[in-house]
Amino acid sequence: GQNIDQPTEMTATEGAIVQINCTYQTSGFNGLFWYQQHAGEAPTFLSYNVLDGLEEKGRFSSFLSRSKGYSYLLLKELQMKDSASYLCAVKDSNYQLIWGAGTKLIIKP
Amino acid sequence: GAVVSQHPSRVICKSGTSVKIECRSLDFQATTMFWYRQFPKQSLMLMATSNEGSKATYEQGVEKDKFLINHASLTLSTLTVTSAHPEDSSFYICSAQGLAGDSYEQYFGPGTRLTVT
């Protein structure tokens, strides 16, 4: 079967750095996505990785290792507005998105 | 960037009635649209995938006669919840994808919160 694993909840302090991990087992791989979702709102796109390595975009970075079936989302200089759920999703061989259950990130002052 | 709209954003209906939700891609042609449902504190659950001009593909456990999906044009897909019941109350989100097999992102609509009383 296909599976995406990420921690259910994480807590971090404002101004700090947090890393949210995602491991996957899918039938084929055509890219990995990270989305941010605030409560009551639709997901918004954060990043896309299809090749191994680190993609940096401002305070957010995403890393991928295809051989390990592993990705992480790194958030720097955390702000209170970063409190949200972070969803990892993998596009499989049929180009269908397989979604993780999401990681709820709680930022404390 | 690509914009997807949904209408209505919120709807309250009585049990037994039907509700139609529209999803539009405003500045691009969406060959594929996806309908998701999300219950409180849970992740997205894909309900169905629709390609323009063809029948939708429903995920296991989703009743196709209850959740009618129409993708009549490259910019519009509709989801009709027929004979709605309180357990259908949820956050319904559509997303749209451009080219078939596009490796890039799905663009999400803002979601529709359905409450069935």
Side-chain angles (χ1 to χ4, degrees):
Chain A
Q2 308 207 88
N3 197 47
I4 309 281
D5 286 316
Q6 48 182 134
T8 304
E9 187 173 297
M10 298 182 70
T11 303
T13 305
E14 189 177 16
I17 300 173
V18 71
Q19 177 175 311
I20 303 174
N21 295 324
C22 171
T23 58
Y24 63 90
Q25 300 95 38
T26 57
S27 56
F29 178 84
N30 280 296
L32 185 144
F33 300 78
W34 283 97
Y35 284 85
Q36 181 191 60
Q37 186 178 26
H38 285 98
E41 299 180 11
T44 55
F45 171 79
L46 288 179
S47 68
Y48 168 68
N49 294 70
V50 68
L51 299 176
D52 290 350
L54 187 69
E55 294 280 341
E56 296 187 77
K57 189 185 294 185
R59 294 189 299 115
F60 294 3
S61 303
S62 57
F63 171 83
L64 174 68
S65 170
R66 288 172 296 171
S67 62
K68 295 182 179 179
Y70 167 70
S71 173
Y72 67 72
L73 179 69
L74 190 72
L75 294 78
K76 303 177 185 176
E77 301 170 16
L78 286 171
Q79 302 174 11
M80 297 303 293
K81 67 178 182 179
D82 297 329
S83 292
S85 287
Y86 292 85
L87 307 175
C88 173
V90 172
K91 194 163 278 193
D92 67 10
S93 57
N94 295 319
Y95 293 94
Q96 180 169 344
L97 266 182
I98 310 300
W99 292 88
T103 298
K104 182 179 181 181
L105 178 62
I106 300 169
I107 309 296
K108 295 186 175 180
Chain B
V3 179
V4 177
S5 70
Q6 264 183 259
H7 178 80
S9 57
R10 290 179 180 271
V11 58
I12 301 172
C13 70
K14 292 185 177 180
S15 185
T17 61
S18 295
V19 173
K20 180 185 282 189
I21 303 170
E22 291 187 350
C23 177
R24 293 181 184 272
S25 57
L26 299 185
D27 51 2
F28 68 102
Q29 293 186 326
T31 53
T32 306
M33 286 187 171
F34 304 86
W35 286 97
Y36 294 88
R37 180 168 53 182
Q38 187 175 35
F39 294 104
K41 299 184 180 180
Q42 295 186 23
S43 189
L44 296 170
M45 291 172 49
L46 179 65
M47 298 175 67
T49 302
S50 74
N51 293 294
E52 185 265 338
S54 63
K55 290 184 178 180
T57 302
Y58 289 80
E59 295 300 301
Q60 194 171 8
V62 178
E63 300 174 57
K64 63 180 180 180
D65 294 331
K66 180 172 180 63
F67 298 98
L68 302 179
I69 292 172
N70 184 280
H71 192 164
S73 77
L74 286 171
T75 59
L76 173 65
S77 177
T78 61
L79 167 69
T80 302
V81 183
T82 62
S83 186
H85 292 286
E87 57 265 30
D88 298 323
S89 297
S90 187
F91 192 44
Y92 291 86
I93 309 172
C94 74
S95 70
Q97 181 172 288
L99 298 173
D102 185 359
S103 60
Y104 207 59
E105 63 188 284
Q106 291 181 15
Y107 303 97
F108 282 87
T112 297
R113 187 160 303 282
L114 169 63
T115 303
V116 184
T117 61

